[in-house]
Amino acid sequence: MTTAPGPGGENRRTAAPVSRPGVNVLVRTTTTLEPVRRLGLDVVAQRSGLHPDLVRRFVALGLVDAARDANGRLWFEPSAPATLARIQRLRAALPLNYASLGLVLDLLDRISELEDALRRSNAGSRSDESWI
C-alpha cells in the first residue's frame, strides 16, 4: 500500500496497482449460428437410413417435398428425415403401397389440423368435455 495526498492535504492510503498477466483467449467456432435451411439428398438419406434412390422415389410420388436447384440437385427442408421416418412406420404398419400412403398422410395431417382447431376453440370454454 502507498499513501497519496487527498483533498485538503491529508494523506490517504491507496492500494498499489497489481500487475496481472494478460490472458489471450482464442475462440474457434466450427458451426454457423444460422439454422440450416435445407438439406442435401445424401444428408437426408443418411439421417433417415434410406437409400438415396428410395428418397428420390418418394419425391417423385409426392410423399416428401423437395426443391431442385439450377443443377438439378434435390434440397429438402430440415423436417424431411422425420417425414421419411413417418412414411416408413406407416408402410410397416399398414398393408399399403407407397402411392396410397400419400392419401393416408394427407388424412392424418388433416386430422391433426382439426384436432388443433378443436383444442383452440375449447381453450376459452370452462367445460372439459371430451368428444361428443
Side-chain angles (χ1 to χ4, degrees), residues 1-7 9-17:
M1 293 234 193
T2 61
T3 59
E10 71 272 0
N11 287 334
R12 62 185 178 120
R13 292 186 160 200
T14 60

Side-chain angles (χ1 to χ4, degrees), residues 2 15 20 35 49 53 65 99 104:
T2 61
R20 296 183 182 167
D53 289 340
D65 294 328
V104 173

Side-chain angles (χ1 to χ4, degrees), residues 66-79:
R68 289 195 183 270
D69 64 5
N71 295 326
R73 290 183 299 227
L74 291 173
W75 295 100
F76 298 86
E77 294 293 321
S79 62

Side-chain angles (χ1 to χ4, degrees), residues 2-90:
T2 61
T3 59
E10 71 272 0
N11 287 334
R12 62 185 178 120
R13 292 186 160 200
T14 60
V18 178
S19 71
R20 296 183 182 167
V23 176
N24 292 331
V25 177
L26 178 63
V27 178
R28 294 183 185 184
T29 58
T30 57
T31 60
T32 60
L33 297 178
E34 276 189 38
V36 176
R37 296 180 196 246
R38 60 184 189 167
L39 302 172
L41 175 64
D42 292 334
V43 173
V44 170
Q46 181 183 13
R47 288 185 183 177
S48 62
L50 301 174
H51 194 275
D53 289 340
L54 185 57
V55 176
R56 283 188 197 98
R57 181 181 299 166
F58 288 159
V59 171
L61 292 171
L63 297 176
V64 65
D65 294 328
R68 289 195 183 270
D69 64 5
N71 295 326
R73 290 183 299 227
L74 291 173
W75 295 100
F76 298 86
E77 294 293 321
S79 62
T83 303
L84 291 168
R86 184 180 187 197
I87 292 168
Q88 288 300 97
R89 285 191 309 271
L90 286 171

